[in-house]
Amino acid sequence: MKPGTLRAWTRIHTWSSLACTLFMLMLCITGLPLIFHDEIEELENARIVETWNESRLVSLDRATDAALALHPGDVPIYLSFDVDRPVVNITSGAHGRVGEGSMSFQPIDRRTAAPAAGGAQGGVMDVMLKIHSELLMGSGGMYFIGFVGLVFVLALVSGMILYSPFARKAGFARVRHGKSARIRWLDWHNLIGGVTLGWALAVGLSGTVTTLSDPVTAWWRADALAGLTRGTGGIIQPYRPGMLGKAVDNAIAAAPGMTPQFVAFPGAPFSSRDHYAVFLQGSTPLTARLLTPVMVDARTGEVDGIAPMPWYMKALLLSQPLHFGNYGGLAMKILWALLDLATIIVLGTGLYLWFGRMASGRRTGKRIAARGTAP
Amino acid sequence: MKGWPLLPVMLIALVVLAGLTIGLAGDGYEDVLANLSLALCLLPIAGGLRRKGTNMKDGKHNKDRP
């Protein structure tokens, strides 16, 4: 590498790293407990493994009626299914397009049609997630975090390019323990940064993609979902008792081997004025992460359209587990946490090396100035 | 290795990315492969720490030598 090229990459690495270091430190520190959020939440509310008889559960329509009875005047917007208990969660509001803050969330136990525990917001982990994902600044903060992720990727790539001549001279994964503290920390910075590159790229890029979930989902709604529906523009009929169960049954029949993950009622953002949108998931670990929307006519209960997700929605949904590291059991979570700690060390050593270089630059400047003025 | 200084780093990165992707496809051996690939990138760090410990025991650790 020519000296000029090396200087240019050094500048890119220094400034891209400095621009994102403080935010990355915050993301790594808040991300650490979020890796174990399932375990932490289980400690807070001990969860019992539940068993139930499917044939004895109340119908989806009755569960929805029970939820609406607790929120008079509301219309149902979404219904989702809990995985580990026979509970459906009904989100309702004054109308289908009400803001998220004005929605009510009501879990209903399908064994008794009575309210179930859960759905409380505002715990420590929720606050931690809000800091991590949007700096408590809403969607603006989320896009900023996405930009920080891109700058982090630039810092990683430029760091690797700079590591190349170093590794040629010193060898891979070598820490010169006999040298000064600064050289030792430089070696650790290079070693840890180099071996965690793949993981850091995966987490950084998938995090950036995840921050784009709102505009990507909005695009999907306007593009693919709108193409599935043929809205007549009439009066929205968000809920007709007895129709929900039929809609879900017909959707499952139209896509054998799939199970419902959530339902968007007519008039909801993920549906149309005249359709129930039943979102089905596959049975394999990979297809369970991808959703297939089935549009069911709200008047007849007949399936009107079905389409797999486009590539950009698949990329969005698959980027989430790659960012959270929550798909390989506790072992993966522990490894994820160790790699998170390793990244904190890389960021810390990077700052230490930069401050050291600044101080050394100042000392040299003073010496030159002293020589220049002294006789 | 000298001619390809980034080869080990690139290999580890590729193995990690492949392992993470394979892990998405299943809950059995796929997860084991994903976890092994993540453990692989921690091995050189563990090696570096071990060498540090050995050097300190041998008295080779010379603090702040320029």
Side-chain angles (χ1 to χ4, degrees), chain A residues 160 163-164 167-169 173 177-181 184 188 194-195 198-199 202 285-286 321 327-328 331-332 335-336 339, chain B residues 2 5-6 9 12 16-17 20 23-24 26-27 31 34-35 38 41-42 44-45 48-49 51-52 55 61-62 64-65:
Chain A
M160 262 317 91
Y163 181 60
S164 174
R168 196 188 301 271
K169 220 186 299 171
H177 292 296
K179 296 281 184 179
S180 68
R184 279 201 311 276
W188 276 115
V195 296
W199 175 82
L286 183 64
Y327 58 96
M332 182 177 273
L335 288 163
W336 220 259
L339 289 161
Chain B
K2 286 267 173 188
L6 290 184
V9 169
I12 292 174
V16 169
L17 291 174
L20 289 177
L24 284 173
D27 279 338
D31 283 348
N35 290 337
L38 288 174
C41 59
L42 291 171
I45 302 174
L49 285 171
R51 278 196 297 274
K52 182 187 173 189
N55 285 348
H61 183 73
N62 186 355
D64 291 335
R65 199 176 78 189

Side-chain angles (χ1 to χ4, degrees), chain A residues 259-338:
Chain A
T259 52
Q261 212 249 3
F262 80 96
V263 179
F265 285 82
F270 280 87
S271 184
S272 81
R273 299 165 67 92
D274 312 308
H275 291 87
Y276 287 94
V278 182
F279 289 81
L280 303 173
Q281 59 186 36
S283 50
T284 68
L286 183 64
T287 56
R289 297 177 207 286
L290 306 173
L291 298 173
T292 300
V294 181
M295 290 294 176
V296 182
D297 193 302
R299 291 175 181 84
T300 63
E302 298 304 318
V303 172
D304 223 8
I306 178 167
M309 284 187 148
W311 66 268
Y312 51 86
M313 278 304 290
K314 285 180 181 167
L316 175 67
L317 291 175
L318 290 178
S319 72
Q320 290 168 354
L322 279 177
H323 185 72
F324 304 139
N326 58 357
Y327 58 96
L330 187 61
M332 182 177 273
K333 290 182 178 188
I334 291 168
L335 288 163
W336 220 259
L338 289 172

Side-chain angles (χ1 to χ4, degrees), chain A residues 71-260:
Chain A
H71 301 279
D74 274 10
V75 295
I77 302 172
Y78 299 113
L79 178 145
S80 63
F81 297 82
D82 272 10
V83 180
D84 50 359
R85 54 184 191 157
V87 167
V88 286
N89 306 292
I90 290 107
T91 305
S92 62
H95 54 84
R97 302 278 165 153
V98 75
E100 215 174 291
S102 309
M103 289 177 179
S104 302
F105 184 82
Q106 184 60 61
I108 296 287
D109 192 327
R110 288 184 65 200
R111 285 169 294 202
T112 55
Q121 297 275 309
V124 179
M125 296 312 283
D126 284 332
V127 175
M128 200 70 87
L129 181 63
K130 276 202 177 297
I131 296 171
H132 185 84
S133 60
E134 55 180 49
L135 297 169
L136 300 173
M137 286 162 62
S139 52
M142 197 182 280
Y143 299 139
F144 178 74
I145 292 289
F147 178 69
V148 168
L150 281 182
V151 177
F152 176 60
V153 169
L154 179 64
L156 288 172
V157 172
S158 56
M160 262 317 91
I161 291 166
L162 289 178
Y163 181 60
S164 174
F166 168 85
R168 196 188 301 271
K169 220 186 299 171
F172 168 67
R174 188 172 160 226
V175 178
R176 291 165 286 179
H177 292 296
K179 296 281 184 179
S180 68
R182 194 176 137 68
I183 288 175
R184 279 201 311 276
W185 282 119
L186 172 67
D187 287 349
W188 276 115
H189 181 82
N190 289 338
L191 164 59
I192 301 174
V195 296
T196 58
L197 174 74
W199 175 82
L201 277 176
V203 173
L205 284 174
S206 59
T208 296
V209 172
T210 304
T211 61
L212 299 174
S213 62
D214 284 352
V216 171
T217 310
W219 174 259
W220 176 54
R221 278 206 311 259
D223 174 33
L225 278 186
L228 270 178
T229 60
R230 297 191 302 273
T232 56
I235 298 163
I236 299 173
Q237 202 158 25
Y239 177 56
R240 190 190 296 171
M243 194 54 80
L244 173 63
K246 189 179 176 188
V248 171
D249 288 345
N250 285 344
I252 294 170
M258 301 188 96
T259 52

